Amino acid sequence: MTRLFFALLFCIGFIYPAYADDHAFSLHGTPKYTKDFGHFDYTNPQAPKGGQVVLAGIGTYDSLNPYILKGTSANGIAMIFDTLMVSSSDEASTEYGLLAESIAVADDGASVTFTLRPQARFHDGSPVTAEDVVFSFNAFKKDGHPFYRAYYGEVTQAQALDTRTVMFSFATGENRELPLILGQMPVISKAYYQIHDFTKTTLEPPLGSGPYRVTNVDPGRSITYERFDDYWGKDLSVNKGRFNFETIRYDYYRDRLIAMEAFKAGNIDFFQETVAKNWATAYDIPAVRNGQIIREEIRHEIPTGMQAFAFNTRRDLFKDWRVRKALSYAFDFEWSNINLF
């Protein structure tokens, strides 16, 4: 009886309908924000605009095309491209219209239709059309990074119903997440890529439609983005209080240790520490004690991974479970926790 009970709960959970109401789509209940909302609760629409922030890039880059397998794309390049919809950061699995002013999911779940905002524009002033959306989908799936072929694998077709309306058809109506997946899709200009080869890497700043554009490219050293003054979507509710820095620059470093030292020296404005040992031992410096560097733990409920030692059981030494158990007993966790973490 217990197994049957849990099986029924599992089935009921998956047939529970998602919520679609032209301005938003949610997998779990009603979206928090109504159609006429002013801004996301976690943004400040009165936040001042201006200034520069310097962030760290690790390694290098040799391309401004983030959608193909070739090359290493620059940090932050996605900021120049708008997506059909945008996620809210205080809800699970919920998106609101960005390029799309409305979304409609078929009753059988086998298709989704987006209607684009009439004011949506690329940086050259040309309108974002349904043909651009169809072109983007086909380019990503055919010539883009293999990730997209898998991600859009259950989407069988994209059709432009008119200049502002595009419909995506699905292989089945069973995957309720597909409207969210397609809502995350960036839209690139069909006209631009009829002149430029989408399949090649490039260091020429591509045409975008987002809040920033590339203004300086120094391959392997830095890349600078500038807030686009004529950004078509700056007054949308989903954008109020966001994209406030006038310029964003990524300075590149060989590894995170060097980047951390650059931050401590004042060359980087923000650094996200992910190593527990560094958090515990690396910031006992004057800049922290006198308040020039502010350390802040940001609590969250995002599932995170684990750190562990794993035995390579393909080696004869570790095939015997008793050897692995003996080494586990010999491992000094208390010392490691104090000195490493």
Side-chain angles (χ1 to χ4, degrees):
M1 287 295 292
T2 302
R3 290 180 180 176
L4 176 61
F5 175 71
F6 280 106
L8 286 172
L9 281 180
F10 182 84
C11 293
I12 290 171
F14 271 78
I15 63 173
Y16 190 87
Y19 182 96
D21 178 18
D22 64 356
H23 78 294
F25 180 85
S26 176
L27 277 182
H28 310 295
T30 304
K32 173 182 177 180
Y33 298 98
T34 60
K35 188 173 183 177
D36 58 350
F37 79 100
H39 61 89
F40 290 131
D41 288 346
Y42 51 85
T43 65
N44 175 11
Q46 278 77 50
K49 303 285 187 181
Q52 173 180 275
V53 63
V54 180
L55 305 174
I58 307 300
T60 187
Y61 74 92
D62 58 12
S63 177
L64 301 185
N65 184 349
Y67 303 120
I68 60 173
L69 182 60
K70 298 176 184 176
T72 301
S73 58
N75 283 33
I77 192 64
M79 294 189 298
I80 75 171
F81 301 101
D82 269 339
T83 52
L84 288 170
M85 304 186 77
V86 62
S87 299
S88 62
S89 296
D90 54 355
E91 296 174 272
S93 303
T94 304
E95 292 178 356
Y96 296 83
L98 181 53
L99 285 170
E101 68 177 1
S102 67
I103 175 175
V105 180
D107 292 339
D108 61 359
S111 67
V112 62
T113 301
F114 297 95
T115 301
L116 301 176
R117 298 182 190 272
Q119 69 268 38
R121 293 287 187 275
F122 291 105
H123 291 162
D124 65 355
S126 61
V128 180
T129 69
E131 287 291 343
D132 293 310
V133 179
V134 173
F135 172 81
S136 302
F137 171 78
N138 291 331
F140 295 155
K141 196 170 182 180
K142 178 178 179 291
D143 298 316
H145 193 286
F147 163 81
Y148 293 108
R149 285 195 285 278
Y151 206 40
Y152 303 143
E154 295 181 58
V155 185
T156 58
Q157 187 181 31
Q159 296 174 272
L161 303 184
D162 57 41
T163 57
R164 291 177 45 220
T165 309
V166 59
M167 183 176 76
F168 296 92
S169 301
F170 309 147
T172 71
E174 297 176 359
N175 188 344
R176 299 184 307 139
E177 196 175 6
L178 285 177
L180 287 175
I181 289 173
L182 289 167
Q184 299 166 357
M185 190 179 77
V187 177
I188 59 179
S189 168
K190 178 180 179 180
Y192 179 85
Y193 284 102
Q194 286 178 333
I195 302 172
H196 301 79
D197 190 346
F198 174 76
T199 66
K200 293 184 178 180
T201 62
T202 181
L203 288 173
E204 176 185 340
L207 178 65
S209 61
Y212 286 89
R213 63 178 177 179
V214 179
T215 56
N216 186 64
V217 176
D218 190 356
R221 296 178 63 87
S222 69
I223 185 168
T224 304
Y225 302 90
E226 184 179 80
R227 192 159 53 87
F228 189 57
D229 289 337
D230 294 327
Y231 174 44
W232 72 271
K234 60 185 176 182
D235 294 323
L236 295 180
S237 299
V238 294
N239 288 333
K240 290 285 185 66
R242 304 174 66 204
F243 313 120
N244 300 314
F245 288 108
E246 188 67 24
T247 60
I248 299 175
R249 190 180 81 223
Y250 286 89
D251 287 345
Y252 274 78
Y253 299 89
R254 282 296 180 189
D255 57 48
R256 284 187 57 84
L257 180 61
I258 299 174
M260 180 183 69
E261 293 302 323
F263 168 71
K264 289 158 65 174
N267 297 325
I268 300 172
D269 295 315
F270 174 84
F271 190 74
Q272 185 173 356
E273 184 57 72
T274 59
V275 179
K277 179 183 178 182
N278 291 343
W279 183 257
T281 64
Y283 294 96
D284 185 16
I285 58 175
V288 173
R289 292 192 290 269
N290 64 25
Q292 287 179 299
I293 291 179
I294 299 173
R295 289 203 316 165
E296 183 174 354
E297 293 186 19
I298 302 174
R299 298 191 177 276
H300 61 83
E301 297 179 6
I302 301 173
T304 55
M306 55 179 276
Q307 293 180 340
F309 293 103
F311 296 106
N312 182 357
T313 55
R314 291 173 297 183
R315 298 184 60 185
D316 290 337
L317 176 65
F318 299 124
K319 286 182 178 178
D320 191 328
W321 67 268
R322 292 169 298 182
V323 173
R324 301 196 300 270
K325 186 174 183 178
L327 289 171
S328 298
Y329 278 128
F331 177 61
D332 191 341
F333 171 78
E334 286 72 20
W335 180 92
S336 299
N337 197 39
I338 293 171
N339 291 279
L340 300 180
F341 305 114

